[in-house]
């Protein structure tokens, strides 16, 4: 069944690979979608989405879409090029029903009626002339129904010949493809409903008594005005069908992994607990995919359960003011802004923090755990009081051979007090052994030490300097020692090199207050803070920022703009120092007129995530990835390409270069 389910899902989901610029009316196909479907995949038209995706693919790899188009048509027409067959210009959909048996109450299983009807003897028997037996739905697998419009049903049947028919006494017709897959179908108006089994069509027919309506239908219809394909997934229905799925995830069952133990495992367990809580509060998720010649856009909308914790957290968020971006230095690897309201979330954050801290506490560290929990609560209260989370703007920089640098601005209600909160909280928290455990960088590679705090005056503004020395322990070993390392030790050594490549031997942060803002810079010297306070290096390309933000459908609460070429250069700069061998500078790649953009926005109980990746950024990434591969191959080559030297010695000069003079 699993193999057949995969084939059926591909046959109908591949509908999702094809939408014209003028969107078709999806009304008719949505009339055939039941309200209680666990998932719905809808396209405004098959050929249109095929065109849109093909345009995107060809922009990335010219000519690559032709093979995809041929395969799509072959699959959807069951290997027959039929005039009057599948209407590729009409809307289409895929309906998925979650397994019914898993959702049943165990105490009622014995008395509950059978939810999946048994096959008749005629239907269960092997089909004469068919390449394989008819599939039988398992109660623990989804049931999938595809909905497509056929232009001329009689012409379609005639073209398929004896590959379609209806067994005596059976409820549905069948159709076979050339590879032996059998599907059943029934006709509703202009549309044909396809499924792998009669049971799936039975389920669909029964559920259609309550067709798609209300907010769920409106959400799908609206999504198809923005994108040629969308998928609605009922998370609440999935939870009901799989009530124990999330709680059964246990990190203790994971196989041992290098560098994954102690603090790392505790942090991951805390993150998993938060993910579980979010999952339990999501009602419906809606996915949109919009490819074009300019790039590809992915959108996810998550509707939260009414009156749930995360529903309340989402509803209190607001848009971020992006005007402070103009104050950031020019040429960042990435930049962004965020606004976060934590009034509702503060108690939850406190609980998650307390659980994590106490899980890290060893015997005798109970008082340190109490202090760590208290310092977090104090930091949250003061940050809320001074508006430290209300509007933050940031940028990351990395020169080819320079250090990793960060610049950030926080618009606050009381800048001096907000800056003081940052410094005091850092000093208190990182003076606590449990916070130091959580702040351990890159696994076991390096640990942050309590900060050394000093004062400077930069551009006439008092500045606090926090220097976190890094304890690399035994991670910085020689090549000879590396041969004796365990796998975990080898991972740690690479982590140490990565940290050294980014920060050197210490992480230095400078904090200052000026004109209602807190200025923060992470850099080994004071030049970053100097440029930030004076505005000497300000010069963000706002035309590029504005064009990038135009790709968003909603005002963001958080947004990140990434330059893919610069990000690759950043990775290459780290590789240069980690490998300990010369690496040629990144080749010059013209940047696109827009950034790769990721944003989160909120409206009511709905959280919306948008990701837009321009084609120009993808192509730049391809070119830089090829360069990195070539550089790595060159590094692995023996000297002089492995050519023999004088006397057959390896690594000598090539024959077109003179060797050493002969010895007299």
């Amino acid at each position: 069944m699993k193999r057949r389910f995969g084939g059926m899902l591909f046959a109908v989901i591949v509908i999702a690979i094809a939408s014209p610029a003028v969107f078709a009316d999806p009304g008719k196909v949505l009339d055939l979608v039941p309200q209680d479907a666990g998932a719905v995949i809808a396209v405004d038209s098959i050929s249109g989405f095929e065109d849109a995706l093909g345009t995107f693919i060809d922009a990335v790899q010219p000519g690559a879409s032709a093979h995809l188009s041929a395969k799509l048509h072959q699959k959807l027409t069951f290997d027959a090029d039929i005039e009057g067959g599948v209407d590729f210009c009409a809307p289409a959909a895929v309906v998925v029903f979650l397994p019914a048996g898993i959702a049943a109450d165990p105490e009622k299983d014995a008395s509950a009626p059978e939810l999946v009807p048994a096959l008749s003897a005629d239907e269960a028997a092997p089909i004469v002339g068919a390449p394989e037996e008819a599939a039988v739905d398992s109660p623990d697998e989804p049931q999938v129904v595809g909905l497509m419009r056929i232009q001329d049903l009689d012409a379609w049947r005639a073209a398929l010949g004896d590959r379609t028919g209806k067994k005596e006494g059976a409820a549905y017709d069948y159709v076979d493809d050339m590879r032996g897959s059998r599907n059943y179908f029934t006709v509703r108006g202009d549309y044909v409903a396809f499924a792998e089994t009669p049971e799936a069509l039975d389920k669909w027919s029964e559920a259609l008594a309550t067709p798609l309506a209300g907010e769920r239908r409106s959400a799908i219809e609206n999504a198809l005005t923005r994108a040629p394909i969308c998928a609605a997934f009922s998370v609440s229905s999935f939870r009901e069908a799989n009530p124990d799925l999330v709680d059964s995830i246990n990190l203790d069952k994971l196989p041992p992994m290098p560098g994954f133990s102690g603090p790392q495992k505790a942090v991951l367990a805390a993150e998993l607990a938060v993910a579980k809580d979010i999952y339990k509060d999501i009602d419906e998720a809606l996915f949109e995919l919009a490819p074009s010649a300019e790039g590809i856009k992915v959108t996810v909308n998550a509707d939260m359960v009414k009156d749930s914790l995360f529903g309340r957290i989402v509803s209190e968020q607001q848009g971020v003011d992006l005007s402070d971006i103009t104050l950031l230095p020019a040429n960042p690897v990435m930049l962004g802004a965020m606004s976060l309201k934590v009034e509702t979330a503060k108690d939850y954050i406190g609980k998650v923090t307390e659980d994590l801290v106490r899980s890290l506490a060893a015997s005798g560290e109970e008082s340190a755990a109490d202090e760590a929990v208290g310092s977090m609560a104090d930091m949250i209260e003061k940050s809320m009081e001074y508006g430290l989370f209300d509007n933050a703007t940031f940028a990351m920089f990395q020169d080819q051979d320079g250090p990793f640098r960060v610049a950030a601005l926080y618009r606050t209600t009381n800048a001096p007090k907000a800056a003081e909160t940052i410094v005091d909280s850092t000093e208190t928290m990182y003076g606590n052994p449990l916070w130091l455990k959580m702040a351990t960088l890159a696994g076991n590679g390096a640990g942050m030490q309590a900060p050394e705090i000093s004062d400077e005056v930069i551009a006439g503004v008092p500045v606090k300097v926090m220097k976190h020395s890094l304890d690399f322990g035994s991670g910085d070993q020689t090549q000879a020692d590396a041969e004796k390392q365990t796998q975990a030790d080898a991972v740690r050594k690479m982590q140490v090199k990565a940290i050294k490549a980014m920060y050197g031997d210490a992480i230095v942060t400078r904090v200052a207050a000026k004109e209602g803002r807190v200025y923060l810079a992470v850099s080994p010297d004071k030049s970053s803070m100097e440029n930030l306070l004076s505005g000497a290096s300000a010069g963000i390309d706002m035309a590029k920022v504005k064009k990038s933000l135009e790709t968003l459908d909603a005002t963001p609460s958080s947004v990140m703009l990434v330059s893919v070429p610069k990000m690759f250069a950043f990775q290459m700069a780290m590789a240069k120092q980690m490998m300990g061998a010369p690496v040629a500078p990144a080749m010059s790649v013209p940047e696109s007129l827009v950034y790769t953009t990721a944003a989160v926005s909120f409206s009511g109980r709905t959280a919306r995530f948008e990701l837009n990746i321009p084609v120009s950024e993808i192509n730049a990434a391809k070119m830089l990835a090829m360069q990195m591969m070539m550089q790595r191959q060159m590094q692995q080559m023996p000297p002089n390409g492995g050519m023999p030297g004088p006397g057959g010695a390896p690594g000598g000069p090539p024959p077109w270069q003179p060797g050493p003079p002969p010895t007299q």
Side-chain angles (χ1 to χ4, degrees), residues 130 135 145 188 210 450 520 537 561 620:
V145 176
R188 290 291 181 98
T210 308
L520 183 146
S537 64
L561 309 173

Side-chain angles (χ1 to χ4, degrees), residues 299-344:
T299 305
V300 182
N301 293 279
D303 293 332
M304 300 297 169
V305 175
K306 187 177 181 180
D307 296 328
S308 64
L309 171 64
F310 282 93
R312 296 194 303 273
I313 292 173
V314 164
S315 65
E316 74 175 357
Q317 303 307 312
Q318 63 184 25
V320 66
D321 184 342
L322 300 170
S323 59
D324 281 356
I325 283 180
T326 58
L327 303 177
L328 294 171
N331 301 315
V333 173
M334 63 181 179
L335 70 157
M338 66 177 295
S339 171
L340 181 63
K341 297 295 184 181
V342 296
E343 183 66 38
T344 302

Side-chain angles (χ1 to χ4, degrees), residues 309-617:
L309 171 64
F310 282 93
R312 296 194 303 273
I313 292 173
V314 164
S315 65
E316 74 175 357
Q317 303 307 312
Q318 63 184 25
V320 66
D321 184 342
L322 300 170
S323 59
D324 281 356
I325 283 180
T326 58
L327 303 177
L328 294 171
N331 301 315
V333 173
M334 63 181 179
L335 70 157
M338 66 177 295
S339 171
L340 181 63
K341 297 295 184 181
V342 296
E343 183 66 38
T344 302
K346 64 178 181 179
D347 292 338
Y348 178 77
I349 295 172
K351 180 182 180 301
V352 171
T353 302
E354 181 170 3
D355 291 345
L356 174 58
V357 167
R358 297 199 185 283
S359 69
L360 291 172
S363 178
E365 291 185 321
E366 291 79 9
S367 61
D370 292 338
E371 292 174 3
V373 172
S375 63
M376 171 59 83
D378 183 62
M379 186 272 288
I380 292 175
E381 287 291 343
K382 289 182 177 178
S383 297
M384 290 173 58
E385 180 181 355
Y386 306 132
L388 197 53
F389 301 138
D390 289 355
N391 215 99
T393 307
F394 59 88
M396 187 190 86
F397 305 85
Q398 174 71 47
D399 298 328
Q400 186 70 5
D401 296 307
F404 174 84
R405 294 174 290 123
V406 173
L409 299 101
Y410 302 83
R411 194 181 301 177
T412 70
T413 57
N414 189 327
K417 285 292 186 181
E420 184 180 307
T421 297
I422 293 175
V423 176
D424 290 348
S425 298
T426 302
E427 185 175 23
T428 301
M429 293 166 69
Y430 288 99
N432 185 295
L434 297 178
W435 279 113
L436 287 176
K437 283 184 183 180
M438 285 191 284
T440 297
L441 298 176
N444 294 324
M448 289 180 66
Q449 303 302 297
E452 303 169 23
I453 298 178
S454 58
D455 295 287
E456 291 178 347
V457 176
I458 300 176
V461 179
V463 176
K464 287 289 185 181
V465 183
M466 300 181 289
K467 180 179 179 181
H468 292 271
S469 296
L470 299 175
D471 177 15
F472 293 102
S474 59
D476 193 14
Q477 301 180 13
T478 64
Q479 185 60 39
D481 294 332
E483 297 176 359
K484 303 176 183 178
Q485 291 176 3
T486 64
Q487 188 177 5
D489 290 332
V491 171
R492 182 179 60 186
K493 181 175 180 179
M494 292 300 292
Q495 291 169 338
V496 166
K497 287 187 174 182
I499 296 302
K500 282 189 172 182
M502 292 178 67
Y503 299 106
D505 295 325
I507 299 176
V508 181
T509 304
R510 288 173 170 82
V511 181
K514 177 186 175 184
E515 298 174 354
R517 296 179 178 86
V518 173
Y519 291 72
L520 183 146
V522 178
S523 176
D525 58 39
K526 64 181 182 180
S527 60
S528 293
M529 178 59 84
E530 205 165 45
N531 291 333
L532 198 58
L533 289 172
S534 66
S537 64
I540 292 291
D541 186 346
M542 289 307 296
K544 184 173 180 178
V545 170
K546 183 178 180 181
K547 192 171 181 63
S548 302
L549 296 176
E550 287 174 352
T551 65
L552 303 177
D553 294 323
T555 301
S557 291
S558 299
V559 62
M560 183 175 293
L561 309 173
V562 181
S563 167
V564 172
K566 283 190 171 68
M567 182 61 73
F568 263 74
F570 168 48
Q571 298 294 336
M572 293 178 71
M574 289 189 61
K576 175 180 178 180
Q577 299 184 51
M578 289 172 63
M579 291 186 293
V583 178
M587 56 201 232
S588 177
V589 179
E591 290 197 45
S592 64
L593 297 176
V594 291
Y595 289 104
T596 293
T597 308
V600 179
S601 57
F602 302 95
S603 177
R605 291 182 286 109
T606 300
R608 181 178 181 85
F609 170 76
E610 299 180 64
L611 173 65
N612 186 68
I613 307 174
V615 165
S616 56
E617 294 273 274

Side-chain angles (χ1 to χ4, degrees), residues 117-139:
L119 287 174
S120 67
D122 179 61
E123 289 176 329
I127 299 173
V128 178
E132 64 177 46
E133 294 182 356
V136 178
D137 263 341
S138 170

